[in-house]
Amino acid sequence: MPRTPFLAGNWKMYTTPEEARDLARALRDGVAGVEGVDVLVCPPFTSLAAVAEELAGTPIALGAQNMYYEDQGAFTGEVSPLMLVALGVSYVLVGHSERRQYFGERAETLNRKVKAALAHDLKPILCVGEKLEEREAGASWKEVVRGQVRAGLEGLGAEDLGPVAIAYEPIWAIGTGKTATPQAAQDAHAMIREALAETFGAATAEKTRILYGGSVKPDNVRELMAEPDIDGALVGGASLKAETFVPIIRFQE
Ligand code: PEP
């Protein structure tokens, strides 16, 4: 079964609710009639309700950029899976490199988040990727990425993997304007798929979508998406304007 292309926007810490509403409206109009792709936007928590209203009844799905793994409790400042589901959220990013780098998120926490998402019918997108120093250290970057995949999905079985997607985002390519070449991204994706096959079997690995992230733009999305193991894109900067995100979503036209 071919994997449906998946174009996801990560709005990071941008947009007030009003700005988010405007962007959601522009995207809704811009992608009207597009078929054969899955589209997701991940606004900040504070804009989720406004965007949910604008996207109701459209095929654009709503995601959160993070969440905590407990249902409720004395966890000041955190947001639970129950709260996200109540807002109409269906996806959640887990372990974005900015969460790992600036907020100290570690493998065990991320694994708990993946499991909590699945327990609440939220589809987790597990983000992995190596730092520049790791890439420059040669072959060991591959072990770093494989380790992130294994640790994030630890304790899951093949039967759990249906809702899970992986986003490969080499940290040196995020927000820098430096994209991995399509061939380099393809090689990393193939390696991740192999790691998935080792743990969950080839059939499950073949079904799992692996998104590429790192300075994806309208002018490089086509060549990236042409690679056999690149099933979508997780887009930061270029997802903040309909003028750039809509052509990315419409890359097949
Ligand atoms: C991201 O935030 O996941 C990302 C890939 O950002 P950018 O597209 O801006 O590099």
Side-chain angles (χ1 to χ4, degrees), residues 160-189:
D160 302 314
L161 232 64
V164 176
I166 308 289
Y168 169 66
E169 303 199 297
I171 295 173
W172 47 270
I174 296 181
T176 57
K178 286 186 202 157
T179 324
T181 62
Q183 188 58 55
Q186 162 59 25
D187 291 348
H189 283 225

Side-chain angles (χ1 to χ4, degrees), residues 11-161:
W11 296 358
K12 308 197 185 195
M13 200 173 71
Y14 295 100
T15 71
T16 63
E18 266 326 288
E19 290 164 347
R21 203 180 270 285
D22 290 345
L23 178 53
R25 260 189 227 123
L27 289 175
R28 185 184 67 193
D29 297 345
V31 307
V34 181
E35 284 180 359
V37 293
D38 289 338
V39 182
L40 169 69
V41 291
C42 301
F45 289 130
T46 45
S47 292
L48 285 170
V51 174
E53 270 177 31
E54 294 304 327
L55 297 183
T58 77
I60 304 177
L62 187 62
Q65 300 171 17
N66 179 35
M67 64 167 207
Y68 196 51
Y69 50 75
E70 295 287 356
D71 287 359
Q72 57 183 15
F75 303 107
T76 302
E78 292 295 318
V79 172
S80 91
L82 286 178
M83 297 168 186
L84 296 178
V85 169
L87 284 176
V89 169
S90 52
Y91 286 86
V92 62
L93 303 182
V94 176
H96 189 280
S97 62
E98 288 151 16
R99 303 283 330 156
R100 294 179 193 254
Q101 187 177 352
Y102 304 127
F103 304 100
E105 295 206 352
R106 294 282 162 265
E108 199 214 328
T109 311
L110 299 178
N111 179 241
R112 292 178 81 157
K113 291 186 178 193
V114 168
K115 287 175 175 162
L118 292 172
H120 289 280
D121 281 334
L122 286 166
K123 301 182 194 89
I125 301 177
L126 175 67
C127 304
V128 299
E130 79 284 2
K131 298 183 188 133
L132 185 60
E133 313 85 93
E134 290 162 341
R135 163 77 56 165
E136 284 173 346
S140 68
W141 72 269
K142 295 185 176 167
E143 211 26 69
V144 169
V145 173
R146 273 198 289 261
Q148 289 172 341
V149 173
R150 274 197 294 265
L153 303 180
E154 187 161 334
L156 301 184
E159 67 286 0
D160 302 314
L161 232 64

Side-chain angles (χ1 to χ4, degrees), residues 1-6 36-38 193 203 205-210 228 230-231 252:
M1 201 180 61
R3 299 178 291 267
T4 304
F6 188 10
V37 293
D38 289 338
R193 203 176 301 287
E206 276 306 305
K207 282 189 233 152
T208 304
R209 290 189 289 192
I210 307 175
I230 300 182
D231 308 316
Q252 296 180 105

